[in-house]
Amino acid sequence: MAKNVEGFEFEQRHGKERVRVARVWKSKDGKQQFVVEWRVSINLLSDCVNSYVRDDNSDIVATDTMKNTVYAKAKECSEILSVEDFAILLAKHFTSFYSQVTTAIVKIVEKPWERVNVDGQPHDHGFKLGSEKHTTEAIVKKSGALQLTSGIEGLSVLKTTKSGFEGFVRDKYTILPDTRERMLATEVTALWRYSYESLYSVPKKPLYFTEKYLDVKRVLLDTFFGSPKEGVYSPSVQATLYQMAKAALNRFVSILTLSVCLRKYIYLSIVSDEGERKIKRIW
């Protein structure tokens, strides 16, 4: 909350960016291993005005402390967990452990390490780097209020047919011909906000958010490509984008808002207080 300091409206936050941490877990029988790599960013909203106006740093949580907290909390996680659960865990720690911290904002990007197959079998401890990234942001207030967002970055997709573009505005500067036969290659970025509004309403099912992330990605891809044999025709990038956003939002009741971006075209789907679905376009 902003304060009036010497006639100025004063609000501050401080934090630590790009904390890289990798965590490896073993299965109960010790034979198979699991790995995640996260890039963590932390912002704390806190009452530390004295550090600005009275040279008193006694309320500052040092960036070194934030970094080491990430490492310590990752080590304390004895069971594999989703990136969303780890973000919530960190944010909850900062708001509960430090009396002066009113809100914690934790953003994490998960690097896409995927298990490799050798001779048709999944390797117990071998992994390769994938492409798209799993992202999340958890905003936790001291009261326990929560705002949780997840997303996909850098999901590259291509179909060699079943795409066209015709009937667009044509004037003396236009040389692009109408077509019903072209390739469609793009990069998908998606963000969705969950409906859980407090720490106490988050599902306790292990890896719930990891499963939800994979489910959303699957719906987006299925809508983009269509069935394996027939595919689905795309009359424009805009039309395909709309269908992708609508399909995902309609499929998952736990998602409150959803945005999907294909390069520069963004459609944001929201659910109003009355339960009506609305589409907004943002360029």
Side-chain angles (χ1 to χ4, degrees):
M1 182 178 295
K3 290 187 174 183
N4 189 288
V5 178
E6 298 178 354
F8 299 99
E9 286 296 316
F10 184 90
E11 183 178 76
Q12 70 80 39
R13 65 175 66 183
H14 66 286
K16 176 67 175 175
E17 297 283 335
R18 298 185 297 277
V19 180
R20 295 180 61 188
V21 58
R23 181 67 164 94
V24 177
W25 291 272
K26 292 182 180 179
S27 59
K28 291 183 179 180
D29 60 12
K31 294 181 179 180
Q32 195 174 51
Q33 298 195 354
F34 305 86
V35 64
V36 295
E37 183 180 344
W38 294 322
R39 187 176 75 241
V40 182
S41 297
I42 300 164
N43 268 287
L44 303 182
L45 281 69
S46 59
D47 183 7
C48 55
V49 174
N50 288 340
S51 66
Y52 292 86
V53 299
R54 294 187 177 87
D55 301 329
D56 178 359
N57 296 327
S58 58
D59 288 324
I60 291 288
V61 181
T63 57
D64 178 72
T65 303
M66 297 183 201
K67 176 190 68 177
N68 293 330
T69 299
V70 172
Y71 298 149
K73 291 300 179 183
K75 185 177 181 179
E76 290 174 7
C77 295
S78 58
E79 301 289 338
I80 187 171
L81 76 168
S82 69
V83 64
E84 288 86 356
D85 284 326
F86 188 64
I88 292 171
L89 182 153
L90 283 175
K92 182 180 178 181
H93 166 80
F94 286 113
T95 55
S96 61
F97 192 77
Y98 301 101
S99 60
Q100 70 273 29
V101 175
T102 58
T103 303
I105 304 170
V106 178
K107 298 180 181 180
I108 307 180
V109 177
E110 180 172 293
K111 209 167 183 177
W113 289 108
E114 302 170 351
R115 192 177 301 279
V116 300
N117 287 290
V118 178
D119 294 332
Q121 298 293 323
H123 201 283
D124 283 345
H125 55 268
F127 299 85
K128 67 181 180 68
L129 189 61
S131 55
E132 70 275 2
K133 296 179 177 65
H134 181 175
T135 67
T136 195
E137 178 185 74
I139 303 175
V140 174
K141 296 183 180 296
K142 192 175 287 294
S143 64
L146 169 68
Q147 183 175 313
L148 182 64
T149 304
S150 293
I152 299 170
E153 285 184 0
L155 178 59
S156 297
V157 292
L158 178 151
K159 57 184 182 181
T160 55
T161 187
K162 292 285 184 175
S163 175
F165 188 51
E166 54 188 344
F168 48 88
V169 174
R170 186 172 295 281
D171 56 35
K172 65 181 181 179
Y173 301 109
T174 306
I175 61 174
L176 183 70
D178 286 1
T179 182
R180 291 187 61 83
E181 178 57 43
R182 67 172 184 173
M183 296 174 66
L184 177 54
T186 188
E187 187 176 278
V188 181
T189 299
L191 285 172
W192 55 93
R193 180 180 168 187
Y194 287 102
S195 57
Y196 311 112
E197 295 183 348
S198 77
L199 295 173
Y200 316 104
S201 62
V202 173
K204 303 304 181 184
K205 179 182 176 183
L207 296 178
Y208 167 83
F209 290 109
T210 300
E211 294 176 5
K212 193 65 64 178
Y213 166 81
L214 295 173
D215 288 341
V216 172
K217 185 171 73 168
R218 188 177 302 112
V219 170
L220 294 175
L221 290 176
D222 288 352
T223 307
F224 179 86
F225 290 111
S227 63
K229 297 298 183 183
E230 291 79 19
V232 62
Y233 180 71
S234 171
S236 68
V237 174
Q238 291 89 338
T240 295
L241 186 57
Y242 173 75
Q243 292 301 325
M244 292 169 70
K246 184 173 71 170
L249 190 63
N250 286 339
R251 177 73 175 272
F252 305 106
V253 296
S254 60
I255 292 179
L256 183 64
T257 70
L258 173 77
S259 66
V260 183
C261 172
L262 302 185
R263 293 269 170 84
K264 62 181 179 179
Y265 304 100
I266 302 178
Y267 281 77
L268 176 63
S269 303
I270 65 171
V271 180
S272 72
D273 291 340
E274 295 77 26
E276 298 177 353
R277 300 188 183 280
K278 299 179 181 179
I279 306 296
K280 291 184 178 180
R281 184 176 66 191
I282 304 174
W283 296 95

